[in-house]
Amino acid sequence: MLWGAGERSPVSDISPDGNFLQRLKTLLIGGARSPQDREVFHKLTLAAFFAWVGLGSDGMSSSCYGPEEAFLALGEHKFLAIFVALASAITIFVISASYSQIIELFPSGGGGYVVASKLVSPTVGMVAGCALLIDYVLTISISIAAGSDALFSFLPMEWSGYKLGFIVASLVAMILLNLRGVKESVAPLVPIFLAFLLTHAIAILYGILTHLLDFPVLANKTVKDLSSTHAELGLWGMLVLMLRAYSMGAGTFTGIEAVSNGLTILREPRVQTAKKTMRYMAISLALTATGLMLGYLLYELESEPGKTLNAVLMEKITRTWNPSVAWVFVFVTLLSEATLLVIAAQTGFLDGPRVLANMAVDRWFPTKFATLSDRLVTQNGIMLMGGAALVTIWFSGGSVRLLVVLYSINVFITFVLSQLGMVRHWLQVRKTEPNWIPKLLINGSSFLLTALILVAVVVLKFHEGGWVTILITATLIVVALLIHRHYRQTLRLLGRLDDLMATAVAKADEAPVSIPPFNPDGKTAVILVNGFNGLGLHTLLNVVRLFGKHFQNFVFVQVGVVDAGNFKGAAEIEHLQRKLESDLERYVRFVGKQGYFGKGICSIGTEVIDEISALAPKIVAEFPGAVFFAGQLVFARESFVTRWLHNYVVFAIQRQLYPQGIPFVILPIRV
């Protein structure tokens, strides 16, 4: 059997030569992938259908509790649900249309963070990103908790004590699936997603078709309910009641932004794939949500203890069916709901780490969250999102009612800020964009709708526990500001190193007449660099200063790290390769001007330590007796923060090379 290009054979990965942890890792999440494999991007990206499954599960699963929350919020005035259902469907299409315009404007990925950063300001974008991160943690938490509730409603009451354990196990399973990779995490969801769509479509169509003659009665009752509510509460009271129900069902709209956030995992041509995915999501979500709410009215449902309204609806729909067929249909329908609710957490795992990685690239969070694992996924982000969701579930006891209160506030902060950015953009380009008016109307309508929902949700949920979400989000924003300030200060310090090297840079850019040949009588210094910069040049000059003419040959080694910022296609990897070669050539020219032999060696990978460990024996074989050098930034005040935010990878490399008998010297570079 031939293994796909870019993946290691599982047989070789679990050979006796490998250590136990490596073999266990390979067994659980698979072998490593090569970012230089041009086919790997095709393997990791999703066509519109799979994207609909992977990114649309959050929106579709919200129809399991969003319409129910809205319907129950109306109390005795349940026939007003028709207006709430229509408003919800219109909102879904308006938000979807506005995000389709965002996709066109940001074809390489335009979630709320990117849009607000580019079109308003980086700080506003950071606020949108922090809000989105908390929302994705809550998406994971509420999806798994609600799915577990639905599943355990089938089981005997005495089994309820195992529910929290089941939630934790489900969460761990989701983490492992996502550590394997995007497509691997989506493929198992397809039959579940299709079962949900098919059973709910049958139920909604059957319920409507068998009640066609009841629609005049339904219209009559709606008019009477409208009149009695107006008489009882007044016009403003009635509007507030409907607004409250509309906002309580706001969870229905979450997940719409997932496609614009996840453009980098979509199949080329990405914009067309994303827009097609968005259409699938909008139509399926609008029809399902409004169809369920209409079903609640046609069957005049009342809440029953221990059952969701959807469970009650399915039982009512099938009460005249053959008992065996009815039981199977209800079981499959509710099981698909429960399972889809659990896997809706997939949206949080797909987009949460991606938002975190983008913010890490921009230095709002530690840069380690932008790095990719050998499976080419944002491993640190997946672990953080999963861990945060686990803590949330643990402290809430897996209570869906409590999580619903915390939920849906933050996604509307992101909605509002991203739509504000789009409105600002269309106003700025109105002189050059011929169709700016209709585009402004779409994003402007979405801005007004989402702002209205945000205000309503915050006011209604604040004293019920919504303040907790706002407090946590505000705390995260403060942390991001502090981290960003630290990175800015560090960049200023590194800038001083670069300024001191101005003369050296000028000399390096002057091509020497000829590069001196390798000197077999002189020793070889192998210097690890991360670009042609002050840090690398300081390390080189310190070697010369400390050892004089002892080293006559210099080998410069640089690893191009593939992270979330450049893992967007084969062209980006090729650009990274050219950049590495250009940087190393400047080092070679610089030492050549001083009369030394120079050579550059580069490699591309996801982990510097592994790449250097693989290159070092080959370099020693070519240059016997070579000594490795690397510079390490030394801050005036070392602290937990500097150790957490900065890369101390040279010490890990040293520990890897010492057992191989390869000398490795770390030179301190004070800043």
Side-chain angles (χ1 to χ4, degrees), residues 65-78 81 84 241 244-245 248-249 293 296 301-304 307-310 401:
Y65 54 82
E68 177 177 349
E69 289 292 324
F71 187 77
L72 294 177
L74 291 169
E76 297 298 320
H77 309 283
K78 56 188 175 184
V84 176
L241 177 64
R244 181 177 185 276
M248 291 303 289
M293 204 171 295
Y296 300 159
L301 297 191
E302 300 289 343
S303 179
E304 295 183 17
K307 290 184 179 179
T308 64
L309 275 187
N310 284 4
R401 289 197 172 276

Side-chain angles (χ1 to χ4, degrees), residues 36-369:
Q36 293 174 287
D37 172 17
R38 295 186 65 90
E39 295 183 8
V40 77
F41 297 96
H42 182 81
K43 296 172 186 174
L44 297 179
T45 54
L46 304 173
F49 175 77
F50 283 104
W52 180 34
V53 175
L55 300 174
S57 57
D58 179 24
M60 289 304 295
S61 70
S62 64
S63 65
C64 299
Y65 54 82
E68 177 177 349
E69 289 292 324
F71 187 77
L72 294 177
L74 291 169
E76 297 298 320
H77 309 283
K78 56 188 175 184
F79 287 96
L80 298 181
I82 289 179
F83 302 103
V84 176
L86 288 174
S88 299
I90 291 170
T91 303
I92 290 169
F93 286 116
V94 169
I95 295 176
S96 298
S98 68
Y99 268 93
S100 290
Q101 294 192 165
I102 288 176
I103 288 167
E104 289 179 353
L105 194 61
F106 293 89
S108 60
Y113 168 68
V114 175
V115 175
S117 296
K118 301 291 185 184
L119 301 183
V120 185
S121 76
T123 303
V124 172
M126 177 272 295
V127 172
C130 288
L132 207 50
L133 287 175
I134 301 299
D135 180 73
Y136 282 134
V137 169
L138 290 171
T139 294
I140 296 170
S141 305
I142 196 172
S143 297
I144 293 180
S148 301
D149 275 359
L151 185 62
F152 273 78
S153 64
F154 269 114
L155 303 175
M157 186 64 70
E158 56 268 22
W159 290 26
S160 60
Y162 298 102
K163 186 169 70 174
L164 191 57
F166 176 79
I167 291 173
V168 173
S170 300
L171 185 54
V172 171
M174 293 294 292
I175 292 172
L176 291 175
L177 272 175
N178 280 276
L179 289 175
R180 288 189 68 85
V182 173
K183 185 173 288 187
E184 286 85 345
S185 65
V186 171
L189 314 184
V190 173
I192 299 165
F193 191 80
L194 292 179
F196 177 91
L197 286 178
L198 183 61
T199 54
H200 284 71
I202 291 172
I204 291 169
L205 286 174
Y206 181 85
I208 292 174
L209 292 175
T210 55
H211 285 77
L212 283 177
L213 298 178
D214 296 334
F215 272 82
V217 178
L218 178 62
N220 245 352
K221 290 181 177 179
T222 301
V223 171
K224 287 182 180 178
D225 201 1
L226 196 63
S227 177
S228 63
T229 306
H230 182 273
E232 181 183 341
L233 303 176
L235 177 61
W236 286 108
M238 183 175 66
L239 291 175
V240 168
L241 177 64
M242 286 194 286
L243 179 61
R244 181 177 185 276
Y246 174 72
S247 64
M248 291 303 289
T252 306
F253 314 129
T254 59
I256 296 176
E257 82 293 342
V259 178
S260 62
N261 280 330
L263 266 168
T264 54
I265 63 168
L266 300 187
R267 184 73 48 81
E268 294 285 2
R270 286 176 180 163
V271 171
Q272 286 73 14
T273 301
K275 292 177 74 173
K276 188 183 293 185
T277 304
M278 186 69 78
R279 284 196 296 272
Y280 292 166
M281 286 177 60
I283 294 170
S284 57
L285 178 57
L287 290 178
T288 305
T290 54
L292 287 171
M293 204 171 295
L294 186 58
Y296 300 159
L297 285 176
L298 290 173
Y299 286 92
E300 299 187 19
L301 297 191
E302 300 289 343
S303 179
E304 295 183 17
K307 290 184 179 179
T308 64
L309 275 187
N310 284 4
V312 177
L313 176 63
M314 297 306 159
E315 290 174 358
K316 293 271 189 181
I317 286 174
T318 59
R319 63 186 171 185
T320 59
W321 295 13
N322 176 283
S324 298
V325 174
W327 186 90
V328 170
F329 181 82
V330 172
F331 177 79
V332 171
T333 303
L334 298 183
L335 182 62
S336 71
E337 276 194 8
T339 313
L340 189 68
L341 278 162
V342 173
I343 64 177
Q346 182 62 17
T347 300
F349 279 116
L350 284 177
D351 281 347
R354 190 163 293 105
V355 173
L356 182 61
N358 288 335
M359 296 181 75
V361 168
D362 294 335
R363 301 299 191 270
W364 291 109
F365 289 112
T367 53
K368 65 181 68 178
F369 288 112

Side-chain angles (χ1 to χ4, degrees), residues 16 26 119 131 139 202 270 295 310 332 351 356 390 405 409 458 465 470 518 527 546 591-592 605:
T26 303
L119 301 183
T139 294
I202 291 172
R270 286 176 180 163
N310 284 4
V332 171
D351 281 347
L356 182 61
L390 183 60
V405 172
I409 292 177
V458 169
I470 296 172
F518 174 70
I527 300 177
L546 293 171
V591 296

Side-chain angles (χ1 to χ4, degrees), residues 422-596:
M422 291 297 289
V423 168
R424 188 167 181 259
H425 170 74
W426 298 128
L427 290 174
Q428 288 175 336
V429 301
R430 62 186 182 278
K431 293 181 180 178
T432 56
E433 173 58 57
N435 297 318
W436 71 274
I437 293 179
K439 292 181 176 181
L440 175 64
L441 287 175
I442 290 174
N443 288 118
S445 301
S446 182
F447 170 73
L448 292 175
L449 269 175
T450 53
L452 174 67
I453 297 171
L454 175 62
V455 171
V457 168
V458 169
V459 170
L460 292 168
K461 292 187 174 182
F462 187 83
H463 293 293
E464 298 176 15
W467 64 270
V468 175
T469 304
I470 296 172
L471 178 63
I472 293 173
T473 305
T475 303
L476 188 61
I477 290 170
V478 171
V479 170
L481 287 170
L482 293 174
I483 290 173
H484 197 62
R485 186 178 70 175
H486 175 84
Y487 279 129
R488 283 203 314 271
Q489 292 172 344
T490 303
L491 284 175
R492 282 197 294 270
L493 294 173
L494 289 174
R496 296 177 187 175
L497 294 180
D498 293 338
D499 292 340
L500 293 172
M501 294 295 105
T503 304
V505 170
K507 288 183 178 180
D509 290 334
E510 298 173 7
V513 176
S514 62
I515 302 294
F518 174 70
N519 184 349
D521 297 325
K523 294 294 185 181
T524 301
V526 180
I527 300 177
L528 307 187
V529 297
N530 65 342
F532 187 76
N533 50 36
L535 178 61
L537 288 167
H538 265 281
T539 305
L540 169 62
L541 295 180
N542 278 341
V543 171
V544 175
R545 179 176 60 85
L546 293 171
F547 297 95
K549 298 290 185 178
H550 184 74
F551 293 102
Q552 295 292 309
N553 309 298
F554 290 88
V555 176
F556 300 93
V557 180
Q558 183 174 359
V559 173
V561 177
V562 177
D563 60 22
N566 53 35
F567 187 64
K568 296 176 180 176
E572 291 287 340
I573 301 299
E574 290 170 1
H575 173 74
L576 177 60
Q577 179 73 32
R578 290 194 297 271
K579 179 68 169 62
L580 295 175
E581 292 170 354
S582 173
D583 287 342
L584 293 173
E585 180 61 27
R586 296 177 78 184
Y587 279 112
V588 170
R589 288 202 302 267
F590 178 72
V591 296
K593 291 288 288 185
Q594 317 306 316
Y596 298 113

